[in-house]
Amino acid sequence: MPVETETQRSRRTPEPRKFGNSLAVFLLTLFILNFVIFPALTPRPPEVPYSDFIEQVEAGKVERAIVTPERIQYVLKPEPSQTPEGKVAAPQVLVTTPVALDLDLPNILREHDVEFAAPPPNNLGWLGTVLGWVLPPLIFFGIWAWLFNRAQGSGPAALTVGKSKARIYSEGDTGVTFADVAGIDEAKAELEEIVDFLKRADRYVKVGAKIPKGVLLVGPPGTGKTLLAKAIAGEAGVPFFSISGSEFIELFVGVGAARVRDLFEQAKQQAPCIVFIDELDALGKSRGGGGPFVGGNDEREQTLNQLLTEMDGFDANSGVIILAATNRPEVLDPALRRPGRFDRQVVVDRPDKIGREAILKVHVKNVKLAEDVDLEKIAVRTPGFAGADLANLVNEAALLAARNNREAVTMADFNEAVERVVAGLEKRSRVLNETEKKTVAYHEVGHAIVGALMPGAGKVEKISIVPRGVGALGYTLQLPEEDRFLMIESEIRGRIATLLGGRSAEELIFGEVSTGASDDIQKATDLAERSVTLYGMSDELGPVAFEKIQQQFLEGYTNPRRPVSPKVAEEIDRQVKTIIDGAHHIALSILQHNRQLLEATAQTLLQKEILEGEELRSQLDQAQAPAELAQWLRTGKLPEGTSRSVLKGLEKS
Ligand code: ADP
Ligand code: MG
Ligand code: ZN
């Protein structure tokens, strides 16, 4: 990908700060010289008590004195006895501190013929006074500016507190065009319309149509929202301001609002233009009790208010279009989404099979492909992958080919890359002992056999007992044959049973279980719970929502429960347990039914470590469904009389 080019118009001016700093240093030096160093360097005459001074005056030894309220500096008459050669000795200078309010002093001095005067005015005194007033605020300001700078973390913006940090691109600057975006055709079409608004605004205005002010791109991460925005910048031929929502939020309250104001001011000057705010949720979070932090976030609220105000503040046909992207539209403030602000929502969803193939085509443009590479087949094998995952996949495959010194990227590289992305890197260095290996082999074959009999789950493509990724000691790769957008009740049950297939095989073969099934159990329980609380699939509880959906596009997020009575909570738990128990029973029953197949396949797997393709297929095709499977899949209920544990039945036989 071409790298974003930063600002063509640099708006950062380093001079003021440098100048300010050197001025401060200069003044500080002056201050130190004047008040610390100079006084220390000039010799100080010895100090004597006031009474000694008066004594010396009365003895007629004092020649002259300089009197100030704070001190008296006086000079003694040269003593003739000390200078036998007739040389005049340097007059001895002494200092004393006067006793306050000695009103007799002038008289005494005059009586004894002492020449006295006030000191000559000090010419530099004013400097001290001025510095005394000016320096402290200067130092304070300097420290503040320094702290502020550090807080901004981005260099010389000390004196540009509220300036927006928007990067400005002009036409084509981003190096991305609509040709680089594939597989999300609906979203692309909508945005092409926006580009048309900007290019031929008069046409829309003539018929009285209002150009939309704000367009909100929503969708899961990695689906190409930011990429689309950049493509618009490249295609629209108008200035494009790009800023991330988080860049508005700073340490200092009020900065965000100032930035918003500044951004819109610039945009209005440059109209027609596009303003793009990425990750809008960083500043557009709903006001009024978002999450556990009571009291809210003042700064974010101010920034949001400013944004709302600015969006109202310009005319729809002024030629400024606000584009924003987020993957958490649920948390956005409702005020942001009302007509007149972000009045259009464009969903950028994960691509379907055809979309994935198109995206792959975009990304393999600069990759050398071997003859055998079939992009369609790769697209089939990658359901649920977003654009970013596919870009990553292509790169992984290319890296593999390069590491193996191949001239071109082969289909095998792509297959390995898919597994890497799905299950993590192979870890052949992790050596399992014999017992562990055996456990893992039976566990995985258990998954495979149960999975092979379940509806809508796709083919089991590969079983491996080579450790991979973070925790997987082995894995079973089962890929759906087509994109699925819904899951039917029976398929959910089948999925749960498949997840429990591994654990069930361990129970059946070894009569005891290992820790290896924790992840499966976690997933199975999640799915069972969701089918009750989210999908309303339980007969007893009915289609009542027990969860509040808070994340539409982010995976791996558990929604919080609605407040429910303890009785209902208990019922939910019971339903979940019933589903899991049923699935466990079915998995055990299937494996018991196919015990010989389980043994044979596990033994082959132990020898070969990896089973795939035709060999695996011919094995799994032999799997037989037990009698109660069909009914359980349909109703979730086991036939009368089969409710006792399969294991107990096993022990007897
Ligand atoms: P997000 O939706 O999270 O903003 P991005 O736009 O940042 O995702 O996508 C990240 C990268 O994934 C892009 O730079 C691009 O390489 C790739 N990508 C994502 N979607 C697409 C797509 N539809 N077509 C081509 N490449 C895509
Ligand atoms: Mg993005
Ligand atoms: Zn497992």
Side-chain angles (χ1 to χ4, degrees):
M1 287 308 314
V3 182
E4 310 178 353
T5 47
E6 177 96 353
T7 334
Q8 7 117 255
R9 251 167 291 175
S10 169
R11 314 202 300 86
R12 297 191 166 149
T13 45
E15 289 76 19
R17 186 179 71 116
K18 274 199 187 140
F19 176 70
N21 269 0
S22 44
L23 184 70
V25 169
F26 173 72
L27 288 174
L28 193 69
T29 319
L30 217 59
F31 178 84
I32 290 170
L33 280 178
N34 194 42
F35 292 98
V36 183
I37 310 237
F38 285 157
L41 285 181
T42 34
R44 291 181 149 258
E47 213 161 293
V48 294
Y50 188 64
S51 53
D52 285 11
F53 167 64
I54 296 294
E55 242 169 57
Q56 282 168 326
V57 170
E58 282 171 349
K61 289 182 185 166
V62 177
E63 190 173 82
R64 50 203 149 87
I66 297 171
V67 183
T68 70
E70 290 92 32
R71 59 187 227 153
I72 300 168
Q73 187 171 333
Y74 64 100
V75 180
L76 293 181
K77 286 179 185 159
E79 273 178 52
S81 59
Q82 283 180 340
T83 57
E85 295 98 27
K87 254 199 266 168
V88 182
Q92 203 187 346
V93 181
L94 294 168
V95 167
T96 185
T97 322
V99 173
L101 290 175
D102 187 351
L103 294 176
D104 288 340
L105 185 62
N107 294 336
I108 297 172
L109 291 175
R110 214 175 309 136
E111 251 169 50
H112 294 89
D113 262 348
V114 179
E115 191 186 328
F116 67 95
N122 183 353
N123 279 331
L124 278 179
W126 65 270
L127 183 63
T129 316
V130 169
L131 282 182
W133 279 100
V134 169
L135 264 191
L138 261 182
I139 291 172
F140 173 77
F141 179 75
I143 291 175
W144 178 79
W146 178 71
L147 277 180
F148 187 77
N149 240 0
R150 266 183 21 142
Q152 284 213 322
S154 58
L159 299 174
T160 54
V161 176
K163 292 285 184 193
S164 80
K165 288 183 171 175
R167 291 168 292 271
I168 305 170
Y169 303 97
S170 64
E171 301 170 46
D173 254 7
T174 57
V176 180
T177 64
F178 278 136
D180 294 316
V181 187
I184 39 177
D185 295 333
E186 291 87 4
K188 214 164 114 179
E190 291 236 21
L191 293 180
E192 273 165 337
E193 197 183 289
I194 306 285
V195 172
D196 200 52
F197 285 144
L198 288 175
K199 280 188 174 160
R200 281 175 293 201
D202 46 339
R203 213 215 271 175
Y204 292 86
V205 176
K206 218 185 276 169
V207 294
K210 273 203 183 118
I211 295 174
K213 258 189 200 177
V215 179
L216 186 61
L217 300 172
V218 299
T223 46
K225 299 179 295 295
T226 308
L227 187 73
L228 259 178
K230 282 187 191 162
I232 292 196
E235 301 269 347
V238 296
F240 183 82
F241 295 79
S242 166
I243 189 165
S244 170
S246 58
E247 285 174 277
F248 288 111
I249 307 297
E250 288 280 1
L251 187 60
F252 295 96
V253 175
V255 172
R259 288 213 170 120
V260 171
R261 216 173 303 130
D262 183 67
L263 176 66
F264 276 80
E265 219 154 80
Q266 284 188 58
K268 274 183 246 171
Q269 280 164 15
Q270 306 243 353
C273 69
I274 296 173
V275 175
F276 175 52
I277 305 174
D278 208 353
E279 317 291 352
L280 181 67
D281 49 281
L283 75 92
K285 276 217 187 87
S286 191
R287 293 161 293 183
F293 306 103
V294 187
N297 181 333
D298 226 13
E299 165 67 344
R300 188 183 291 124
E301 215 160 277
Q302 276 188 30
T303 311
L304 175 59
N305 281 333
Q306 188 65 38
L307 181 66
L308 296 176
T309 316
E310 292 288 349
M311 287 196 76
D312 284 342
F314 63 87
D315 180 28
N317 290 333
S318 66
V320 180
I321 289 184
I322 317 293
L323 206 62
T326 179
N327 40 37
R328 306 179 62 196
E330 313 85 13
V331 305
L332 288 188
D333 198 275
L336 264 179
R337 299 207 269 169
R338 75 144 167 76
R341 290 190 183 128
F342 288 104
D343 32 21
R344 278 214 180 176
Q345 251 195 52
V346 175
V347 178
V348 185
D349 215 344
R350 290 207 178 80
D352 56 7
K353 194 198 103 193
I354 296 168
R356 288 196 297 275
E357 195 181 338
I359 295 175
L360 284 170
K361 264 188 198 138
V362 169
H363 286 282
V364 296
K365 242 182 237 156
N366 299 321
V367 176
K368 247 202 201 134
L369 295 182
E371 291 281 299
D372 67 337
V373 173
D374 184 346
L375 293 184
E376 192 194 335
K377 268 198 192 138
I378 302 172
V380 170
R381 300 196 56 182
T382 49
F385 277 44
D389 302 320
L390 293 168
N392 181 27
L393 175 73
V394 171
N395 192 47
E396 280 285 341
L399 286 176
L400 275 171
R403 200 168 307 145
N404 295 320
N405 291 324
R406 273 194 279 277
E407 293 282 298
V409 186
T410 63
M411 195 65 180
D413 292 326
F414 275 105
N415 287 339
E416 170 64 19
V418 171
E419 275 175 54
R420 276 190 177 194
V421 175
V422 173
L425 290 180
E426 260 188 13
K427 280 205 183 133
R428 285 197 182 260
S429 59
R430 186 182 288 158
V431 180
L432 304 182
N433 68 30
E434 283 309 308
T435 327
E436 286 171 334
K437 240 187 198 163
K438 224 173 131 193
T439 309
V440 174
Y442 278 97
H443 178 110
E444 296 306 332
V445 174
H447 281 309
I449 291 179
V450 176
L453 290 172
M454 294 303 156
K459 283 188 292 189
V460 178
E461 299 223 338
K462 184 171 179 175
I463 318 176
S464 152
I465 52 169
V466 179
R468 247 183 206 280
V470 186
L473 297 179
Y475 69 100
T476 306
L477 189 66
Q478 188 175 22
L479 291 173
E481 279 147 75
E482 53 185 355
D483 281 1
R484 295 298 307 270
F485 305 99
L486 282 178
M487 255 181 124
I488 317 278
E489 209 180 345
S490 58
E491 291 171 356
I492 293 187
R493 288 192 195 108
R495 178 97 196 102
I496 297 172
T498 308
L499 282 165
L500 295 175
R503 151 62 61 99
S504 303
E506 291 178 36
E507 285 172 82
L508 198 63
I509 301 297
F510 306 109
E512 55 185 357
V513 295
S514 74
T515 55
S518 65
D519 191 47
D520 298 334
I521 293 171
Q522 197 77 40
K523 282 184 186 150
T525 312
D526 273 354
L527 193 53
E529 185 178 343
R530 244 180 294 154
S531 76
V532 174
T533 59
L534 200 58
Y535 310 138
M537 284 177 177
S538 131
D539 290 340
E540 281 73 9
L541 288 163
V544 178
F546 296 106
E547 276 181 36
K548 275 186 189 157
I549 298 192
Q550 292 203 336
Q551 291 291 338
Q552 200 176 344
F553 294 117
L554 295 184
E555 278 167 358
Y557 182 92
T558 339
N559 296 306
R561 280 266 174 95
R562 273 173 198 277
V564 291
S565 69
K567 232 174 160 182
V568 171
E570 207 182 313
E571 185 59 28
I572 293 174
D573 291 344
R574 190 172 317 127
Q575 293 298 317
V576 171
K577 178 95 169 75
T578 308
I579 295 173
I580 298 282
D581 279 350
H584 188 195
H585 175 96
I586 284 292
L588 278 169
S589 156
I590 289 174
L591 293 175
Q592 192 187 12
H593 206 76
N594 295 285
R595 186 162 182 152
Q596 264 162 13
L597 180 64
L598 174 63
E599 295 272 6
T601 316
Q603 287 307 323
T604 330
L605 182 61
L606 273 170
Q607 275 167 20
K608 300 197 169 176
E609 292 201 327
I610 291 172
L611 266 180
E612 59 187 333
E614 205 36 55
E615 192 179 7
L616 178 63
R617 185 119 309 278
S618 65
Q619 294 262 6
L620 291 181
D621 278 349
Q622 299 169 32
Q624 307 274 324
E628 69 261 43
L629 178 62
Q631 189 189 338
W632 178 75
L633 283 174
R634 207 174 57 246
T635 62
K637 304 218 164 37
L638 294 163
E640 289 296 318
T642 52
S643 54
R644 71 196 165 84
S645 165
V646 180
L647 271 185
K648 283 196 188 121
L650 271 179
E651 276 155 15
K652 273 185 216 150
S653 65

